[in-house]
Amino acid sequence: MKLILLGAPGAGKGTQAEILSHKLGIPAISTGNMLRAAMKAGTSVGLKAKSYVDAGALVPDDVIIGIVAERLAAADCAKGFILDGVPRTIPQAEALEEAGVDIDCALSIEIADEVIVERMGGRRTCTNCGASYHVVSAPPKQEGVCDHCGSELSIRKDDAPETVMARLEVYHRETEPLKAFYAERGKLRSVANQPTIEATTAEIEKALGL
């Protein structure tokens, strides 16, 4: 099965990609990990990407697509793959098609903005050991204090409401139009985010006929 996972930042795409990867026996491929691996391996596309990253610039679409195509040609993708984080825009989706990357399904995890703001705003990280908590779903034993090392917990800048809202704005403007793009091709399936990870997984399996 060749899958693309769509959904706003904080929708749980990475978590669900890992679960599906184990169930289906196919690799879950995140753009960030792919970029890092290509740069580390020193492939020609990886070196090109590194030149942009080192300069603090965004890696252009053609380089991203080159890295994706290179990764999908690997032996472990022969039975399928799960893409998380690419394509992010319609030009990227068109470029993937032109590069001969065909997919069976684009699965969109639907979740309200206010739920994401609440979910990400509840995250806490230890300033010392980096342990992660959530004030609702995984609270520390003592409020504001790390269970492991006793250090102070803080909200990451990425999880601050204004940062989350800015990321959601970019998602709605640039990535959400992909739903219509894949719907036109008869490849879109949508699932509503559920209160637990397990319940969301069950909805996804139902949508994919697993």
Side-chain angles (χ1 to χ4, degrees):
M1 189 178 277
K2 298 168 182 174
L3 275 179
I4 285 173
L5 284 190
L6 299 174
K13 297 186 297 297
T15 302
Q16 296 299 337
E18 286 304 323
I19 293 168
L20 282 171
S21 168
H22 290 300
K23 186 174 179 69
L24 298 169
I26 55 177
I29 301 166
S30 97
T31 321
N33 293 346
M34 213 171 357
L35 270 173
R36 283 187 286 276
M39 290 192 289
K40 194 176 173 189
T43 66
S44 60
V45 199
L47 291 172
K48 201 184 276 188
K50 192 174 187 307
S51 67
Y52 288 99
V53 172
D54 289 349
L58 279 177
V59 181
D61 282 0
D62 63 325
V63 179
I64 298 268
I65 301 306
I67 285 175
V68 174
E70 197 173 70
R71 175 68 186 88
L72 298 184
D76 64 342
C77 293
K79 289 187 195 163
F81 51 80
I82 302 160
L83 281 180
D84 167 19
V86 68
R88 280 183 192 269
T89 61
I90 285 176
Q92 282 188 1
E94 289 169 343
L96 274 180
E97 286 186 344
E98 282 160 24
V101 176
D102 188 35
I103 64 140
D104 300 315
C105 172
L107 185 86
S108 177
I109 301 173
E110 301 297 332
I111 181 167
D113 286 4
E114 53 271 26
V115 176
I116 286 178
V117 173
E118 194 180 313
R119 180 186 285 180
M120 293 173 86
R123 288 180 185 171
R124 298 291 182 271
T125 307
C126 177
T127 49
N128 179 43
C129 73
S132 295
Y133 299 88
H134 193 281
V135 293
V136 178
S137 55
K141 293 188 181 101
Q142 187 185 338
E143 194 181 333
V145 178
C146 178
D147 293 351
H148 305 289
C149 69
S151 297
E152 186 188 354
L153 301 181
S154 68
I155 299 178
R156 282 175 27 202
K157 190 170 180 287
D158 276 4
D159 295 334
E162 57 277 15
T163 310
V164 176
M165 289 306 289
R167 288 173 69 197
L168 285 170
E169 201 179 300
V170 172
Y171 165 76
H172 290 307
R173 187 176 67 242
E174 295 183 4
T175 307
E176 201 164 28
L178 285 169
K179 292 199 296 193
F181 179 88
Y182 287 113
E184 280 167 16
R185 286 154 176 73
K187 293 184 175 181
L188 181 74
R189 290 180 202 170
S190 298
V191 295
N193 176 69
Q194 302 299 311
T196 65
I197 289 169
E198 295 75 16
T200 303
T201 303
E203 286 297 307
I204 289 172
E205 289 178 351
K206 211 185 295 177
L208 296 176
L210 300 176

